[in-house]
Amino acid sequence: MPDASQSIYASTPFKFIVDSNPYYIHAKLVSRHSPPLDRMINGQMAEAQKGFAVLEEVDEGTFERFIEWAYKGYYTAADFELKASSPQSPASSSKEECETTECMEEPLADLAAEPEPLTEQPTIWDLGNFQSGKKSKKSKKAKTRQELKASFIRREYTVRRGIISLPPARANRGADEDYTEVFLSHARLYVFADKYDIQPLKTLALEELHDTLATYTLYRGRIGDILALLRYVYANTGRSARGGEDLRMLLRDYLGYEMNVLMEDGEFSVLMIEDGGPLLEDFIEMVAKRIN
């Protein structure tokens, strides 16, 4: 009796058109992973009658990662880009540094000071204003930041840990490494998997982004990388209707321990105003955890 894989690979390839380019993937493989795409292939939809489907809101890189995952069980994230920059010290420490007891107990030097007010922006972003004018002890605030980071790093994986051939995320090594596309490649795949009801891929993309953020050293010159990720996620996702962790919750927890650095960039407050509510609500929730 032939196994399931033989049946899948013997099926007729179905054509998807993404960014005007054709992609062929075994029909039964797609149907097994995605009920919505299965209806395009085997249902009464126009795509099934024509024998191909045009996916308008998907970019080539995202669809190629879906194909890679469908055949291999994992995918390859986008590469970082090298950008010219002046030497900078990190604004935050990496995962490896924070896995030690010393990091979790000793405040970082840049976090010991109060964040500078944002110029020409509403001052509600200043942590001091959320404390009714009262300053908490600096050591307590820094420790709270480290507790939030330690909690973020300790996240347990469900899908990623079962993929033997998947290496840990690469840690960035300097302010000249632009990780915007690295972050967005995971986020876009998450949105794609959510739209087409591919739950294992959705979970994997979430875990891959977490692993990348957990090993990421945030340089002040690279705050824009995180802002681009926040802008995309809050524009293209909502709260999960199924419960459990979602992409916004992941970034909310990341905001919790990196807010001091992010608030130094005026674009962060502009982004919260542009977003119109959800990002600001998540930010305030994490501020409350930092000051209480």
Side-chain angles (χ1 to χ4, degrees), residues 69 73 75 159-160 163 166 200-208:
W69 171 81
Y75 66 89
V159 174
R160 196 181 198 281
I163 305 175
L166 192 59
L201 178 57
K202 179 180 174 181
T203 301
L204 178 59
L206 183 73
E207 293 178 351
E208 285 289 88

Side-chain angles (χ1 to χ4, degrees), residues 83-88 172-178 219 221-222:
K83 304 281 187 178
S85 67
S86 57
Q88 297 183 28
N172 61 323
R173 298 167 185 168
D176 58 343
E177 295 181 352
D178 185 340
Y219 293 86
R222 296 259 57 91

Side-chain angles (χ1 to χ4, degrees), residues 91-95 145 148-149 151-153 172 179 183 209-219 222-223 225-227 229-230 234 245-262 268 279 282-283 286 289-290:
S92 67
S93 53
S94 66
K95 178 178 180 180
R145 185 262 184 191
L148 291 171
K149 180 159 189 173
S151 176
F152 183 86
I153 290 174
N172 61 323
Y179 262 53
F183 295 144
L209 179 58
H210 169 271
D211 195 41
T212 304
L213 289 171
T215 59
Y216 184 71
T217 300
L218 179 57
Y219 293 86
R222 296 259 57 91
I223 291 176
D225 302 4
I226 298 297
L227 296 184
L229 175 62
L230 289 169
Y234 278 84
E245 187 175 26
D246 58 32
L247 199 51
R248 285 191 183 184
M249 292 173 64
L250 179 72
L251 292 185
R252 178 204 63 191
D253 293 345
Y254 181 79
L255 283 176
Y257 69 84
E258 294 290 21
M259 63 174 65
N260 293 65
V261 179
L262 292 170
F268 179 60
L279 176 56
D282 285 347
F283 176 73
M286 299 312 295
K289 290 186 178 182
R290 286 286 295 272

Side-chain angles (χ1 to χ4, degrees), residues 9 60 86 119 141-142 161 192 208 220 246 278 290:
Y9 298 136
E60 288 183 84
S86 57
T119 58
K141 179 193 295 182
R161 68 184 179 187
F192 173 85
E208 285 289 88
R220 288 182 173 85
D246 58 32
R290 286 286 295 272

